[in-house]
Amino acid sequence: MIISIANQKGGVAKSTTAINLSAGLALAGYKVLLLDADPQANTTRVFIHPEIEIALEKSLHNVLIQFSPIASIIQQTRFDNLYLVPSHIRLSSADLELANVIDNRSERLKRALKRTKDEYDYIIIDNPPSLGLLTINSFVASDKLIIPVSTGFFALTGLVQLQETIDMVRQTQLNPQLDILGVLCTFGDHTNVAKDVEKQLRDYFGNSVFETVIPRNVSLEEAHSNHTHVFDHAPLIDRQNL
Ligand SMILES: Nc1ncnc2c1ncn2[C@@H]1O[C@H](COP(=O)(O)OP(=O)(O)O)[C@@H](O)[C@H]1O
Ligand SMILES: [Mg+2]
């Protein structure tokens, strides 16, 4: 199953969700491929040392633009069952490069994953904060979407455009089966704004909003700076609060 974590807003915990969902599934014994489709490469940096990252010769850019086989760029992480398709700052030109392509520019990732798909129980895609061709490629390749929404004041802006993009991918037959697995409330706290936004999301999306709310918790950020996931960094907090 291929799950995209997407929202064109930055800072809503897409990467955090992608990293920790992948890690949680890997800990549960599933074989997981975490695919970093964001040119900012934040997720890649959690698992790969910055010096190694600069030296990386190949990234998703090569797959999308030069048709390199995806198997040739998959990196093993130091965690069991968890593999990574690294991003690279070079990927930032991919949206423009793909825009000049006429043939199947939205289906490159889907095609690249065709064989690899069966080798993993889950492929989790971390997406860039935009609705450009990188994100469209992810939507076309994915079975399911998880939409993290931070429960802050501007949380709801942009969700209409996101919905329109999802509808476009479905209606143009690029991926008629694309399904929203759920909307995930992130940065939950006890403020009135957070509670109000959560209520508005539940009114609008109904049952599609996950019951679980991810609380604001500094351990999530600390885990990243320690190059690990939250289950490794704060196992007790994981059980008590998350
Ligand atoms: N629940 C949380 N509590 C505290 N900090 C968080 C939480 N989720 C994410 N963060 C931090 O917020 C910032 C933005 O999260 P990130 O996952 O990078 O968002 P995105 O990928 O959507 O841009 C990061 O520094 C991350 O460590
Ligand atoms: Mg991110």
Side-chain angles (χ1 to χ4, degrees), residues 16-34:
T16 305
T17 304
I19 290 163
N20 292 301
L21 175 62
S22 300
L25 288 167
L27 279 172
Y30 296 104
K31 190 175 175 193
V32 181
L33 181 63
L34 173 56

PDB file of all heavy atoms in Angstrom, residues 16-34:
ATOM      1  N   THR A  16       7.105  15.035   9.914  1.00  0.00           N
ATOM      2  CA  THR A  16       7.050  14.370  11.223  1.00  0.00           C
ATOM      3  C   THR A  16       6.117  13.158  11.164  1.00  0.00           C
ATOM      4  O   THR A  16       6.441  12.085  11.706  1.00  0.00           O
ATOM      5  CB  THR A  16       6.544  15.382  12.283  1.00  0.00           C
ATOM      6  OG1 THR A  16       7.384  16.531  12.227  1.00  0.00           O
ATOM      7  CG2 THR A  16       6.559  14.800  13.672  1.00  0.00           C
ATOM      8  N   THR A  17       4.989  13.323  10.507  1.00  0.00           N
ATOM      9  CA  THR A  17       4.036  12.217  10.378  1.00  0.00           C
ATOM     10  C   THR A  17       4.626  11.102   9.521  1.00  0.00           C
ATOM     11  O   THR A  17       4.547   9.921   9.877  1.00  0.00           O
ATOM     12  CB  THR A  17       2.716  12.725   9.751  1.00  0.00           C
ATOM     13  OG1 THR A  17       2.216  13.802  10.544  1.00  0.00           O
ATOM     14  CG2 THR A  17       1.678  11.624   9.669  1.00  0.00           C
ATOM     15  N   ALA A  18       5.247  11.480   8.401  1.00  0.00           N
ATOM     16  CA  ALA A  18       5.821  10.465   7.503  1.00  0.00           C
ATOM     17  C   ALA A  18       6.909   9.665   8.226  1.00  0.00           C
ATOM     18  O   ALA A  18       6.949   8.429   8.153  1.00  0.00           O
ATOM     19  CB  ALA A  18       6.387  11.135   6.254  1.00  0.00           C
ATOM     20  N   ILE A  19       7.768  10.372   8.953  1.00  0.00           N
ATOM     21  CA  ILE A  19       8.886   9.715   9.642  1.00  0.00           C
ATOM     22  C   ILE A  19       8.369   8.756  10.723  1.00  0.00           C
ATOM     23  O   ILE A  19       8.764   7.587  10.787  1.00  0.00           O
ATOM     24  CB  ILE A  19       9.808  10.780  10.298  1.00  0.00           C
ATOM     25  CG1 ILE A  19      10.554  11.557   9.221  1.00  0.00           C
ATOM     26  CG2 ILE A  19      10.771  10.139  11.302  1.00  0.00           C
ATOM     27  CD1 ILE A  19      11.158  12.868   9.711  1.00  0.00           C
ATOM     28  N   ASN A  20       7.471   9.251  11.553  1.00  0.00           N
ATOM     29  CA  ASN A  20       7.059   8.436  12.705  1.00  0.00           C
ATOM     30  C   ASN A  20       6.033   7.364  12.341  1.00  0.00           C
ATOM     31  O   ASN A  20       6.027   6.301  12.957  1.00  0.00           O
ATOM     32  CB  ASN A  20       6.578   9.349  13.839  1.00  0.00           C
ATOM     33  CG  ASN A  20       7.743  10.151  14.411  1.00  0.00           C
ATOM     34  OD1 ASN A  20       8.708   9.576  14.892  1.00  0.00           O
ATOM     35  ND2 ASN A  20       7.676  11.463  14.300  1.00  0.00           N
ATOM     36  N   LEU A  21       5.228   7.625  11.327  1.00  0.00           N
ATOM     37  CA  LEU A  21       4.342   6.561  10.843  1.00  0.00           C
ATOM     38  C   LEU A  21       5.180   5.427  10.248  1.00  0.00           C
ATOM     39  O   LEU A  21       4.955   4.243  10.537  1.00  0.00           O
ATOM     40  CB  LEU A  21       3.370   7.119   9.786  1.00  0.00           C
ATOM     41  CG  LEU A  21       2.465   6.102   9.093  1.00  0.00           C
ATOM     42  CD1 LEU A  21       1.532   5.411  10.092  1.00  0.00           C
ATOM     43  CD2 LEU A  21       1.626   6.772   7.994  1.00  0.00           C
ATOM     44  N   SER A  22       6.173   5.799   9.453  1.00  0.00           N
ATOM     45  CA  SER A  22       7.053   4.775   8.852  1.00  0.00           C
ATOM     46  C   SER A  22       7.776   3.990   9.942  1.00  0.00           C
ATOM     47  O   SER A  22       7.844   2.752   9.890  1.00  0.00           O
ATOM     48  CB  SER A  22       8.097   5.433   7.947  1.00  0.00           C
ATOM     49  OG  SER A  22       7.464   6.139   6.919  1.00  0.00           O
ATOM     50  N   ALA A  23       8.301   4.727  10.927  1.00  0.00           N
ATOM     51  CA  ALA A  23       9.051   4.067  12.003  1.00  0.00           C
ATOM     52  C   ALA A  23       8.132   3.144  12.807  1.00  0.00           C
ATOM     53  O   ALA A  23       8.519   2.019  13.162  1.00  0.00           O
ATOM     54  CB  ALA A  23       9.677   5.113  12.915  1.00  0.00           C
ATOM     55  N   GLY A  24       6.926   3.608  13.081  1.00  0.00           N
ATOM     56  CA  GLY A  24       5.975   2.799  13.850  1.00  0.00           C
ATOM     57  C   GLY A  24       5.611   1.514  13.103  1.00  0.00           C
ATOM     58  O   GLY A  24       5.570   0.427  13.693  1.00  0.00           O
ATOM     59  N   LEU A  25       5.382   1.642  11.814  1.00  0.00           N
ATOM     60  CA  LEU A  25       5.046   0.450  11.017  1.00  0.00           C
ATOM     61  C   LEU A  25       6.233  -0.506  10.954  1.00  0.00           C
ATOM     62  O   LEU A  25       6.064  -1.733  11.041  1.00  0.00           O
ATOM     63  CB  LEU A  25       4.618   0.870   9.600  1.00  0.00           C
ATOM     64  CG  LEU A  25       3.246   1.545   9.485  1.00  0.00           C
ATOM     65  CD1 LEU A  25       3.075   2.197   8.106  1.00  0.00           C
ATOM     66  CD2 LEU A  25       2.118   0.533   9.724  1.00  0.00           C
ATOM     67  N   ALA A  26       7.430   0.060  10.828  1.00  0.00           N
ATOM     68  CA  ALA A  26       8.639  -0.788  10.786  1.00  0.00           C
ATOM     69  C   ALA A  26       8.812  -1.516  12.115  1.00  0.00           C
ATOM     70  O   ALA A  26       9.150  -2.708  12.141  1.00  0.00           O
ATOM     71  CB  ALA A  26       9.861   0.056  10.451  1.00  0.00           C
ATOM     72  N   LEU A  27       8.564  -0.817  13.218  1.00  0.00           N
ATOM     73  CA  LEU A  27       8.673  -1.451  14.539  1.00  0.00           C
ATOM     74  C   LEU A  27       7.638  -2.565  14.701  1.00  0.00           C
ATOM     75  O   LEU A  27       7.868  -3.546  15.403  1.00  0.00           O
ATOM     76  CB  LEU A  27       8.459  -0.415  15.646  1.00  0.00           C
ATOM     77  CG  LEU A  27       9.663   0.452  16.007  1.00  0.00           C
ATOM     78  CD1 LEU A  27       9.247   1.552  16.975  1.00  0.00           C
ATOM     79  CD2 LEU A  27      10.767  -0.411  16.623  1.00  0.00           C
ATOM     80  N   ALA A  28       6.491  -2.384  14.061  1.00  0.00           N
ATOM     81  CA  ALA A  28       5.435  -3.400  14.136  1.00  0.00           C
ATOM     82  C   ALA A  28       5.726  -4.595  13.226  1.00  0.00           C
ATOM     83  O   ALA A  28       4.936  -5.535  13.154  1.00  0.00           O
ATOM     84  CB  ALA A  28       4.089  -2.775  13.774  1.00  0.00           C
ATOM     85  N   GLY A  29       6.867  -4.532  12.521  1.00  0.00           N
ATOM     86  CA  GLY A  29       7.288  -5.688  11.735  1.00  0.00           C
ATOM     87  C   GLY A  29       7.015  -5.589  10.248  1.00  0.00           C
ATOM     88  O   GLY A  29       7.289  -6.522   9.498  1.00  0.00           O
ATOM     89  N   TYR A  30       6.474  -4.462   9.819  1.00  0.00           N
ATOM     90  CA  TYR A  30       6.224  -4.301   8.381  1.00  0.00           C
ATOM     91  C   TYR A  30       7.482  -3.773   7.693  1.00  0.00           C
ATOM     92  O   TYR A  30       8.248  -3.009   8.277  1.00  0.00           O
ATOM     93  CB  TYR A  30       5.072  -3.315   8.141  1.00  0.00           C
ATOM     94  CG  TYR A  30       3.758  -3.799   8.681  1.00  0.00           C
ATOM     95  CD1 TYR A  30       3.237  -3.281   9.862  1.00  0.00           C
ATOM     96  CD2 TYR A  30       3.040  -4.791   8.012  1.00  0.00           C
ATOM     97  CE1 TYR A  30       2.024  -3.732  10.375  1.00  0.00           C
ATOM     98  CE2 TYR A  30       1.833  -5.252   8.514  1.00  0.00           C
ATOM     99  CZ  TYR A  30       1.333  -4.726   9.698  1.00  0.00           C
ATOM    100  OH  TYR A  30       0.143  -5.182  10.182  1.00  0.00           O
ATOM    101  N   LYS A  31       7.639  -4.167   6.440  1.00  0.00           N
ATOM    102  CA  LYS A  31       8.760  -3.641   5.662  1.00  0.00           C
ATOM    103  C   LYS A  31       8.306  -2.326   5.016  1.00  0.00           C
ATOM    104  O   LYS A  31       7.307  -2.306   4.282  1.00  0.00           O
ATOM    105  CB  LYS A  31       9.180  -4.668   4.602  1.00  0.00           C
ATOM    106  CG  LYS A  31      10.472  -4.302   3.913  1.00  0.00           C
ATOM    107  CD  LYS A  31      10.906  -5.406   2.955  1.00  0.00           C
ATOM    108  CE  LYS A  31      12.133  -4.974   2.177  1.00  0.00           C
ATOM    109  NZ  LYS A  31      12.411  -5.861   1.053  1.00  0.00           N
ATOM    110  N   VAL A  32       9.032  -1.262   5.322  1.00  0.00           N
ATOM    111  CA  VAL A  32       8.555   0.079   4.955  1.00  0.00           C
ATOM    112  C   VAL A  32       9.597   0.828   4.119  1.00  0.00           C
ATOM    113  O   VAL A  32      10.787   0.839   4.443  1.00  0.00           O
ATOM    114  CB  VAL A  32       8.259   0.917   6.231  1.00  0.00           C
ATOM    115  CG1 VAL A  32       7.736   2.301   5.852  1.00  0.00           C
ATOM    116  CG2 VAL A  32       7.261   0.193   7.133  1.00  0.00           C
ATOM    117  N   LEU A  33       9.110   1.455   3.056  1.00  0.00           N
ATOM    118  CA  LEU A  33       9.951   2.347   2.263  1.00  0.00           C
ATOM    119  C   LEU A  33       9.432   3.771   2.456  1.00  0.00           C
ATOM    120  O   LEU A  33       8.284   4.071   2.122  1.00  0.00           O
ATOM    121  CB  LEU A  33       9.889   1.955   0.778  1.00  0.00           C
ATOM    122  CG  LEU A  33      10.743   2.800  -0.165  1.00  0.00           C
ATOM    123  CD1 LEU A  33      12.228   2.677   0.161  1.00  0.00           C
ATOM    124  CD2 LEU A  33      10.491   2.401  -1.627  1.00  0.00           C
ATOM    125  N   LEU A  34      10.280   4.628   3.018  1.00  0.00           N
ATOM    126  CA  LEU A  34       9.924   6.033   3.222  1.00  0.00           C
ATOM    127  C   LEU A  34      10.517   6.823   2.067  1.00  0.00           C
ATOM    128  O   LEU A  34      11.730   6.819   1.858  1.00  0.00           O
ATOM    129  CB  LEU A  34      10.494   6.496   4.571  1.00  0.00           C
ATOM    130  CG  LEU A  34      10.390   7.970   4.940  1.00  0.00           C
ATOM    131  CD1 LEU A  34       8.947   8.462   4.894  1.00  0.00           C
ATOM    132  CD2 LEU A  34      10.965   8.194   6.343  1.00  0.00           C
TER     133      LEU A  34
END
